[in-house]
Amino acid sequence: MARLQLSKLEKVYGGGFKAVHGIDLDVEEGEFMVLVGPSGCAKSTTLRMIAGLEEVTSGEIRIGDRIVNALPPGKRRIAMVFQNYALYPHMKVRSNLAFGLRLAHVPKAEREAAVQEVARILEIEPLLDRLPKQLSGGQAQRVALGRALIKKPEVFLFDEPLSNLDAKLRASMRVRITDLHKRLKAEGRPSTVVYVTHDQTEAMTMGDRICVMKDGHIMQVATPKELYDRPANLFVAGFIGSPEMNVIDGQIEGTDFRLGGQVIALDEAVLNRMHSKPQEAALGIRPQHMKLSAGNGLTARLRSAEFMGHEVYLHAMLEGKEITTVAGAAEYDALDRSDERIRLTPDLGHAHIFDRQSGRNVSLPLAG
Ligand code: ADP
Ligand code: MG
């Protein structure tokens, strides 16, 4: 258990390509931090620098009160779980778990006690005498987790550990890993976690906080709720949330937001929050905050509907731009679809205004 701090961390690869652009990140002791972003945004590079598998170009990595830049991986008190967990195929689960301790010359009795404890925590006791080929994907991933856990590291590093599993297993492993994190905390062994994924659902459901990355830069660090409710910029707004937030380009004139031939009158719910009025703006509104309305509101042309069970996602064209709205199943049934035109009213209390140029959300209260 230890705090992890990255300051001005930079990575330039051999060919001169700058992958990480001087990032600062503070992970509290016992915190579950998720690094999320599209493929290629330097999540793995960042994690591998923390692990000591990749040299730091400049900046500092601190674990607890030690600067670890110059320490080899084995001396950093970290453990890493990868996507390809590669258990030793000829060794039983028991020996796979104990392998690291054997290398470290831990006495046999102590090793066996540690294996028992980890097996108990991960509920893999019945699997101890099996070979890796006799395990399901989820079981093998739990053993890989056990191999990390048994080292009692100060920081756990995960790099897309679930991406090889099918959707159902992934969902149950998500819960297992966060449960494990909570349990260790309750037992007085809080473990600091940095968990890398490109999957926003994993990020939202697992992270105490989430660090959203793009092209080697940090876009925002916040709790899942904060990211969802108060995205700092267009990138975060588009990345977090499903179905995706609608982003509608337009111009602000006085208190009007103009998009093509239509106008949204910005009310105080938005105007009071805005700290600048960009000329070229984008209105961000999540599908569930774009309500079907009768008579007034924006006019859009309905293109398709996806039936999801208790609700329906409606895809429509608004001034040449595809937008999505969510309707209740009954509401959809009652909708007059004879001319393919629907009326929509954005709930401005939940709307965001972005500066098109900088991408910044200019409708967040500045403090608090
Ligand atoms: P992510 O894990 O977010 O998908 P990576 O950290 O693997 O991203 O890669 C970040 C960027 O650095 C990518 O553009 C990738 O092509 C580049 N990169 C990764 N490894 C190397 C390397 N060994 N040499 C040069 N460029 C690399
Ligand atoms: Mg990666």
Side-chain angles (χ1 to χ4, degrees):
M1 47 173 162
R3 181 176 180 193
L4 167 72
Q5 290 167 286
L6 311 181
S7 33
K8 301 196 167 49
L9 190 65
E10 204 170 273
K11 177 65 187 181
V12 182
Y13 276 114
F17 173 72
K18 193 187 267 194
V20 178
H21 294 254
I23 60 173
D24 295 302
L25 183 66
D26 209 335
V27 187
E28 299 297 326
E29 176 168 306
E31 185 173 30
F32 199 116
M33 174 68 78
V34 177
L35 300 188
V36 71
S39 175
C41 72
K43 304 178 294 296
S44 294
T45 302
T46 304
L47 203 71
R48 291 170 57 81
M49 285 196 282
I50 299 169
L53 300 173
E54 200 68 71
E55 205 179 316
V56 168
T57 305
S58 65
E60 206 172 86
I61 301 172
R62 211 177 257 273
I63 296 176
D65 49 15
R66 304 175 304 156
I67 294 172
V68 300
N69 287 42
L71 292 182
K75 294 248 162 73
R76 294 193 180 195
R77 297 187 209 135
I78 52 109
M80 192 150 169
V81 182
F82 299 92
Q83 174 179 348
N84 299 311
Y85 34 83
L87 301 173
Y88 299 109
H90 57 287
M91 282 185 204
K92 288 182 175 169
V93 167
R94 186 185 298 283
S95 313
N96 261 290
L97 288 173
F99 189 72
L101 300 184
R102 257 171 82 160
L103 285 186
H105 305 294
V106 172
K108 185 157 192 256
E110 209 175 304
R111 276 191 333 246
E112 279 173 5
V115 166
Q116 281 305 328
E117 194 201 359
V118 163
R120 172 187 63 81
I121 293 173
L122 289 166
E123 298 166 65
I124 51 175
E125 288 133 313
L127 309 177
L128 285 174
D129 290 310
R130 291 201 195 167
L131 288 167
K133 67 175 182 217
Q134 298 168 309
L135 302 175
S136 71
Q139 289 169 338
Q141 190 53 288
R142 265 147 74 198
V143 175
L145 218 56
R147 255 191 342 193
L149 194 60
I150 206 165
K151 293 165 77 178
K152 298 202 163 136
E154 294 193 329
V155 181
F156 275 99
L157 305 173
F158 292 91
D159 195 350
E160 315 236 9
L162 307 185
S163 47
N164 280 349
L165 306 179
D166 65 53
K168 202 168 162 201
L169 200 49
R170 219 160 44 226
S172 75
M173 283 299 291
R174 278 201 316 251
V175 176
R176 256 181 205 281
I177 293 174
T178 44
D179 268 2
L180 176 63
H181 180 249
K182 283 192 200 116
R183 202 132 38 100
L184 291 176
K185 203 176 236 171
E187 290 180 8
R189 291 165 49 188
S191 50
T192 307
V193 174
V194 182
Y195 185 105
V196 162
T197 178
H198 64 274
D199 178 352
Q200 63 106 8
T201 308
E202 249 173 55
M204 291 296 274
T205 53
M206 298 179 83
D208 290 326
R209 284 192 302 158
I210 299 172
C211 169
V212 183
M213 296 183 67
K214 181 194 175 209
D215 299 338
H217 294 273
I218 290 178
M219 303 309 282
Q220 189 171 7
V221 182
T223 63
K225 180 163 172 42
E226 174 94 3
L227 281 186
Y228 187 80
D229 289 340
R230 297 152 62 107
N233 48 60
L234 277 171
F235 182 79
V236 174
F239 195 77
I240 300 290
S242 174
E244 219 175 282
M245 184 188 282
N246 295 303
V247 175
I248 304 161
D249 291 336
Q251 291 80 41
I252 296 180
E253 284 174 29
T255 60
D256 284 347
F257 184 88
R258 294 183 175 276
L259 57 152
Q262 306 191 54
V263 173
I264 298 172
L266 297 177
D267 62 15
E268 285 180 356
V270 182
L271 292 168
N272 288 345
R273 281 186 280 129
M274 286 173 62
H275 44 84
S276 76
K277 269 194 189 174
Q279 262 278 305
E280 291 301 318
L283 180 85
I285 183 113
R286 296 206 182 272
Q288 64 274 29
H289 298 136
M290 195 76 147
K291 301 286 185 201
L292 284 175
S293 53
N296 53 10
L298 302 167
T299 304
R301 188 166 54 76
L302 186 60
R303 290 190 47 182
S304 60
E306 280 178 286
F307 181 68
M308 306 298 290
H310 68 296
E311 55 190 22
V312 182
Y313 297 168
L314 302 182
H315 304 288
M317 295 303 286
L318 175 64
E319 300 290 333
K321 157 112 193 163
E322 177 157 348
I323 57 152
T324 302
T325 177
V326 180
E331 192 185 7
Y332 178 69
D333 282 339
L335 185 69
D336 173 11
R337 275 166 282 159
S338 53
D339 65 352
E340 294 186 333
R341 275 148 52 102
I342 54 174
R343 296 283 195 160
L344 297 167
T345 303
D347 173 358
L348 293 177
H350 289 103
H352 301 276
I353 304 284
F354 298 93
D355 181 328
R356 236 311 150 201
Q357 229 93 60
S358 67
R360 275 186 53 222
N361 187 340
V362 298
S363 61
L364 291 178
L366 280 178

